[in-house]
């Protein structure tokens, strides 16, 4: 079953590698963006205030020129009679740039002093700006003008008279209009009451009062303008949609105000943000590609090892896995191949071992290492030995290849039956087979009966075997079988270098002697074996026989095949 997400090695690597990178990169990017944005906004604030201050200074210089001219006139022409100096002062003022018209009016106290002939109070000591109007269209001049009212004060700060100066408004804005921000941003001059005096952007055309549209941002600007001499205001949003800066004039009830779009101001940081996002995405793609390309190879190899390990557990070894690297994964592949090679060799030994003993018992030995130790135990078992009658003489008339072919086919049939009844093959003695049956969980009676059933099946199988021989134009064979029971030593015989699981004892030798008395197709039992199963089998005949190594004749019984 295919696993997904965090359950796979590749998924873990992607999450554990990418997640910290994403956190670090994007956290750093966000902090950097916020910091840079604030720096740029502060820089804009400072730059805007400086620009507005410069513009206000330029405008106030124009407004202050007539005042400075009047004060300069007094210092250079300290005349006493007002009427006499009036013409000269008006001439001076009328000749200034931007002045459209100049008028002079006396105050009531001035007229009274003139009638009394007192000249000392008719001198003016200084002048100051009394009022400046908003721009209005002047039909006589054919242009917009503003009226400035200057009051003349004597040394006692009493009003001597007023000078009314009408100035061309375009002249006042001349230097301001040359500033770069005037063309690039929404700039305007607003009265302290919020009335638009002049603006330099088409979007403000027809507007009369700041905030007349109910825009919360403009109302916030108007509020700040009322309470502060200068400052900046930001609208809501990140970045703010609009930013405004204002600066009030000292000599006029006006404020130069600047509006700018937040996106425009923060265009560099926006480009930085986009470039950062694209770069970060590219970095993540590269990391993901490296994980998929390089780590993917590792994961693929580990997955292959895992799948092959499942097959090995089932006994399916397959071909060795190719080694493509010298790193730890390559070493793992090499060790895996060595392990499989060792398992193949072990299975070969086990399979070879299994040809002599039951595979289940061979598995038992492999699963219990102590069973493979040298040594043994005394136990009563059933012993069977089979032999082909007349095979020695027959082998002298046939070629070795044919002899081996006959034996292989014969053993193939017999071994299958022996293993079916859990018989343990001790050895092959030419064409003879020595087998014993150990009572693992059954009684000795049942074990001997199983041995007899096995022998009967072997004799019955000879019919099929001889049919195969006839089909191959080979001679038929006959087999004699002897069965005995008795105490033997069971265990591992040999040395640590080479050993086999077998039995030792006189009962083994007696079984060999009993087998020699059996004719072809006969199964002969010893009296000791017969006593355990006499109620389960039928006897064809019984006889006494002298056996080599046995002092007295033994009773033997020929059984009827089961």
């Amino acid at each position: 079953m295919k696993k997904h997400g965090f359950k796979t090695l590749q998924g873990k690597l992607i999450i554990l590698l990418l997640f910290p990178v994403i956190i670090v990169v994007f956290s750093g990017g966000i902090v950097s963006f916020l910091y840079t944005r604030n720096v740029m906004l502060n820089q804009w604030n400072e730059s805007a205030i400086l620009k507005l201050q410069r513009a206000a200074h330029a405008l106030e210089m124009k407004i202050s020129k007539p005042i400075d001219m009047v004060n300069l006139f007094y210092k250079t022409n300290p005349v006493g009679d007002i009427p006499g100096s009036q013409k000269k002062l008006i001439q001076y003022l009328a000749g200034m740039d931007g002045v459209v018209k100049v008028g002079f009016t006396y105050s009531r106290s001035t007229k009274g002093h003139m009638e009394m002939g007192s000249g000392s109070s008719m001198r003016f000591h200084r002048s100051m700006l009394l009022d400046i109007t908003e721009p209005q269209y002047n039909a006589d001049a054919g242009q917009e003008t503003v009226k400035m009212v200057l009051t003349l004060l004597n040394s006692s700060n009493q009003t001597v008279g007023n000078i009314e100066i009408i100035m061309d408004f375009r002249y006042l804005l001349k230097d301001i209009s040359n500033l770069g921000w005037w063309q690039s941003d929404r700039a305007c001059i607003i009265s302290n009451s919020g009335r638009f005096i002049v603006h330099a952007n088409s979007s403000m055309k027809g507007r009369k009062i700041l905030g007349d549209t109910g825009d919360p941002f403009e109302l916030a600007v108007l509020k700040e303008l009322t309470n502060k001499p200068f400052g900046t205001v930001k609208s809501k949003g990140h970045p703010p949609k609009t930013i405004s800066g204002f600066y009030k004039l000292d000599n006029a009830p006006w404020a130069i105000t600047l509006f700018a779009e937040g996106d425009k101001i923060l265009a560099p940081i926006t480009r930085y943000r986009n470039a950062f996002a694209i770069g970060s995405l590219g970095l993540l793609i590269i990391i993901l590609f490296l994980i998929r390309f390089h780590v993917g190879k590792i994961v693929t190899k580990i997955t292959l090892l895992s799948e092959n390990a499942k097959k090995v557990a089932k006994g399916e070894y397959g071909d060795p896995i190719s080694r493509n690297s010298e790193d730890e994964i390559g070493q793992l592949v090499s060790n895996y191949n060595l392990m499989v090679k060792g398992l193949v060799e072990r299975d070969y030994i086990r399979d070879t071992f299994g040809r002599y003993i039951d595979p289940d018992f061979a598995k038992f030995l492999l699963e219990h290492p102590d069973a493979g130790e040298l040594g043994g135990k005394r136990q009563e078992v059933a012993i069977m030995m089979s032999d082909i009658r007349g095979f020695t003489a027959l082998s002298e008339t046939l070629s070795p290849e044919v002899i081996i072919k006959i034996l292989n086919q014969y053993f193939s049939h017999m071994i299958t039956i022996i293993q079916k009844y859990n018989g343990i093959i001790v050895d092959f003695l030419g064409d003879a087979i020595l087998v014993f049956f150990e009572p693992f969980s059954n009684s000795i009676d049942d074990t001997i009966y199983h041995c007899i059933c096995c022998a009967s099946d072997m004799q019955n199988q000879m019919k099929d075997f001889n049919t195969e021989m006839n089909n191959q134009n080979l001679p038929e064979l006959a087999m004699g079988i002897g069965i005995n029971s008795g105490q033997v030593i069971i265990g591992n015989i040999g040395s640590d270098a080479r050993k086999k699981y077998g039995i030792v004892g006189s009962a083994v030798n007696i079984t060999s002697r009993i087998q020699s008395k059996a004719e072809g197709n006969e199964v002969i039992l010893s009296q000791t074996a017969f006593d355990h199963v006499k109620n389960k089998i039928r006897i064809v005949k019984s006889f006494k026989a002298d056996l080599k190594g046995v002092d007295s004749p033994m009773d033997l019984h020929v059984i009827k095949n089961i």
Side-chain angles (χ1 to χ4, degrees):
M1 183 175 65
K2 187 176 180 181
K3 296 181 179 180
H4 300 277
F6 203 73
K7 295 183 178 179
T8 65
L9 176 60
Q10 185 165 317
K12 289 180 179 179
L13 289 174
I14 290 175
I15 294 173
L16 295 178
L17 288 178
L18 282 186
F19 186 71
V21 171
I22 291 173
I23 294 297
V24 172
V25 170
F26 282 94
S27 297
I30 292 173
V31 172
S32 176
F33 173 77
L34 294 176
Y35 174 78
T36 308
R37 184 196 66 180
N38 292 334
V39 169
M40 294 192 69
L41 286 175
N42 291 334
Q43 288 179 345
W44 184 90
N45 290 341
E46 295 175 0
S47 175
I49 295 298
L50 289 175
K51 288 179 180 180
L52 293 171
Q53 186 179 26
R54 184 175 61 177
H57 178 71
L59 184 56
E60 288 189 322
M61 286 289 291
K62 297 287 185 65
I63 296 173
S64 299
K65 277 186 178 182
I67 304 174
D68 295 338
M69 176 59 72
V70 173
N71 291 331
L72 180 62
F73 178 82
Y74 166 75
K75 292 179 180 180
T76 57
N77 298 280
V79 293
D81 63 304
I82 296 302
S85 60
Q86 175 186 352
K87 290 182 179 181
K88 292 181 180 181
L89 181 57
I90 290 175
Q91 288 175 356
Y92 277 117
L93 293 175
M96 293 180 63
D97 292 336
V99 176
V100 176
K101 185 178 179 182
V102 180
F104 189 93
T105 59
Y106 295 101
S107 67
R108 293 182 179 180
S109 60
T110 301
K111 290 182 178 180
H113 284 296
M114 289 179 64
E115 291 174 356
M116 293 172 61
S118 175
S120 61
S121 62
M122 298 179 198
R123 297 175 180 269
F124 70 90
H125 181 68
R126 63 185 178 90
S127 65
M128 60 177 294
L129 181 65
L130 181 63
D131 187 25
I132 183 170
T133 64
E134 294 181 6
Q136 293 181 351
Y137 183 75
N138 189 315
D140 294 335
Q143 59 190 5
E144 278 191 319
T145 61
V146 295
K147 183 170 68 171
M148 297 172 53
V149 180
L150 276 64
T151 182
L152 303 179
L153 302 175
N154 59 20
S155 58
S156 300
N157 286 329
Q158 293 177 338
T159 301
V160 176
N162 294 328
I163 298 177
E164 296 180 356
I165 303 173
I166 298 176
M167 298 191 69
D168 183 358
F169 189 63
R170 289 178 300 176
Y171 167 76
L172 296 178
L173 300 181
K174 182 179 178 181
D175 292 336
I176 298 178
S177 62
N178 291 332
L179 297 176
W181 60 269
W182 186 268
Q183 287 83 14
S184 60
D185 301 292
R186 288 185 295 156
C188 58
I189 298 177
I190 303 174
S191 69
N192 289 343
S193 61
R195 181 176 298 276
F196 283 107
I197 295 175
V198 65
H199 44 68
N201 190 278
S202 59
S203 64
M204 295 183 175
K205 189 175 182 180
R207 297 284 303 278
K208 300 298 183 181
I209 300 176
L210 182 67
D212 55 1
T213 60
D215 183 3
F217 176 68
E218 289 190 1
L219 294 175
V221 173
L222 182 59
K223 181 179 179 181
E224 290 293 311
L225 189 146
T226 304
N227 299 324
K228 296 180 181 179
F230 61 86
T232 58
V233 182
K234 303 180 187 67
S235 66
K236 295 181 180 179
H238 300 281
K241 182 179 179 181
T242 310
I243 304 175
S244 177
F246 63 90
Y247 199 98
K248 288 184 178 180
L249 276 66
D250 293 332
N251 294 325
W254 303 339
I256 300 178
T257 309
L258 177 66
F259 293 90
E261 302 297 330
D263 292 340
K264 180 180 178 182
I265 297 171
L266 298 176
I269 189 60
T270 302
R271 288 193 295 268
Y272 162 77
R273 179 195 62 191
N274 296 339
F276 177 83
I278 294 173
S280 300
L281 181 61
L283 176 62
L284 295 179
I285 291 175
I286 291 174
I287 295 175
L288 185 61
F289 171 78
L290 292 176
I291 292 175
R292 296 284 293 181
F293 182 74
H294 293 288
V295 180
K297 288 183 178 180
I298 298 175
V299 172
T300 301
K301 191 67 71 175
I302 293 176
T303 302
L304 179 61
L305 288 170
S306 177
E307 294 297 328
N308 280 23
K310 292 180 182 178
K311 295 179 181 179
V312 168
K314 299 177 182 178
E316 303 173 5
Y317 299 115
D319 298 327
I321 299 176
S322 61
R323 177 176 177 175
N324 301 323
S325 63
E326 298 298 325
D327 56 12
E328 290 79 359
I329 297 299
Q331 296 175 11
L332 178 62
V333 171
S334 295
N335 293 335
Y336 170 84
N337 290 334
L338 289 174
M339 179 194 71
V340 172
K341 183 179 179 181
L343 290 174
V344 171
E345 292 176 352
R346 190 190 75 168
D347 283 358
Y348 174 77
I349 295 173
R350 185 183 68 180
D351 292 341
T352 302
F353 194 28
R355 295 175 185 174
Y356 299 92
I357 64 174
D358 177 63
D360 290 336
F361 186 71
K363 183 177 180 181
F364 169 79
L365 292 178
L366 292 173
E367 292 176 351
H368 298 79
D370 56 328
E373 296 177 357
L374 292 174
K377 61 180 180 179
R378 185 178 297 277
Q379 188 171 4
E380 185 175 7
V381 298
I383 308 168
M384 179 183 71
M385 188 171 186
S386 66
D387 186 65
I388 300 175
R389 295 294 172 252
F391 189 77
T392 301
L394 179 65
S395 62
E396 295 178 354
T397 64
L398 300 175
S399 66
E401 292 79 10
V402 174
I403 294 300
I404 295 299
K405 180 179 180 180
I406 292 174
L407 286 176
N408 286 341
Q409 291 185 9
Y410 166 74
F411 287 140
S412 177
H413 283 275
M414 298 303 111
I415 290 173
T416 300
I417 295 174
I418 293 170
Q419 291 180 343
K420 174 183 176 182
Y421 287 92
N422 297 324
I424 301 172
I425 300 175
V426 178
D427 212 342
F428 293 100
L429 305 172
D431 58 312
I433 307 174
L434 177 61
V435 184
F436 76 96
F437 294 80
E438 185 176 0
F440 291 112
S441 58
N442 300 323
S443 65
I444 187 63
D445 294 351
D446 293 335
T447 301
I448 294 174
Y449 182 74
H450 272 77
C451 178
I452 294 172
C453 292
C454 177
S456 296
D457 274 0
M458 290 171 66
Q459 291 291 15
N460 293 332
Q461 186 65 29
M462 288 299 294
K463 297 177 182 178
D464 295 335
F465 170 74
N466 285 324
T467 299
E468 292 180 7
M469 294 294 100
N470 289 331
N471 292 337
Q472 301 177 41
N473 295 321
L474 295 174
E476 294 184 1
L477 302 178
M479 176 180 61
I481 299 176
I483 297 177
N484 185 28
S485 66
Q487 293 285 334
V488 295
I489 303 299
I490 304 174
N492 292 291
I493 303 170
S495 67
D496 289 334
R498 184 178 181 88
K499 56 189 173 182
K500 71 174 182 178
Y501 192 76
I503 55 176
V504 177
S506 61
V508 179
N509 297 328
I510 293 174
T511 304
S512 176
R513 306 292 186 268
I514 295 173
Q515 174 271 138
S516 66
K517 299 299 181 180
E519 300 294 335
N521 301 322
E522 284 186 348
V523 177
I524 296 180
L525 270 68
S526 67
Q527 183 63 42
T528 55
F530 176 73
D531 290 340
H532 288 283
V533 294
K534 57 186 177 181
N535 296 325
K536 296 181 180 181
I537 62 174
R538 295 176 61 184
I539 299 299
V540 175
K541 65 177 181 178
S542 299
F543 62 96
K544 289 184 179 291
D546 292 324
L547 302 179
K548 184 180 179 180
V550 180
D551 294 337
S552 58
M554 289 188 65
D555 292 326
L556 301 177
H557 306 277
V558 179
I559 69 170
K560 183 177 181 180
N561 288 341
I562 298 175

